[in-house]
Amino acid sequence: MKKASLLLLFLLTFSSLSYGQFANSQKRGKWRFGGNIGGTFGNTTSILVAPSAIYDYNKYLSWGGGITFQYAGNNLNSATRLGVNLIGLVNPIEMIQFSTALEYSRIKFSDQLPSYIPSLFLGIGYRTENVTVGLEYDVLHEPGKSPHLRTQPFIRVYF
């Protein structure tokens, strides 16, 4: 309950500050689509498909959402992950991007009942045109339960 209250307070504060700061900008109303596709093959196979869409409110602020599907498996076990997420991006200057993403995932291992895991990522990245490369930190990370590392690199692409 305490984590949920802090999360709600953070999102409301972030939304209010962002709207007030960027409400009068000239550039408005552009949808962009992109996401992440990845995979590894070897002793363990992992396939990730995560499309998303964002709406550029102005040149500083974008909001959006997406879905995630991931399969990972080896000879002994396999897992699937389905998730939905909400994304917020802030570009204070052209080359820097701050991000927040709230994700809720359903994870099912082949030999267990499914579990449901929330994640809240805070990130910073270097941005050039449609590509951002950076690091994100999962504030809600629980070792042994979370499908992500606490801190992980990312490459974000939107067209």
Side-chain angles (χ1 to χ4, degrees), residues 29-133:
K30 179 183 174 192
W31 280 99
R32 293 191 295 152
F33 301 92
N36 187 9
I37 297 174
T40 59
F41 302 94
N43 291 339
T44 299
T45 300
S46 176
I47 300 169
L48 171 74
V49 178
S52 59
I54 59 170
Y55 181 79
D56 291 330
Y57 182 72
N58 57 41
K59 70 180 187 176
Y60 303 107
L61 180 66
S62 302
W63 292 99
I67 58 173
T68 301
F69 171 78
Q70 184 174 15
Y71 167 83
N74 58 27
N75 292 338
L76 302 175
N77 202 355
S78 67
T80 56
R81 176 170 67 102
L82 299 171
V84 296
N85 59 56
L86 298 173
I87 305 164
L89 305 174
V90 176
N91 304 296
I93 60 174
E94 191 172 329
M95 296 182 303
I96 301 295
Q97 183 175 86
F98 295 104
S99 61
T100 183
L102 177 62
E103 180 175 282
Y104 195 71
S105 298
R106 176 191 183 270
I107 301 169
K108 171 72 171 94
F109 287 93
S110 57
D111 59 349
Q112 298 175 4
L113 293 173
S115 58
Y116 298 87
I117 309 292
S119 301
L120 175 62
F121 296 103
L122 302 177
I124 185 169
Y126 174 77
R127 181 175 159 236
T128 174
E129 297 291 325
N130 298 333
V131 178
T132 304
V133 177

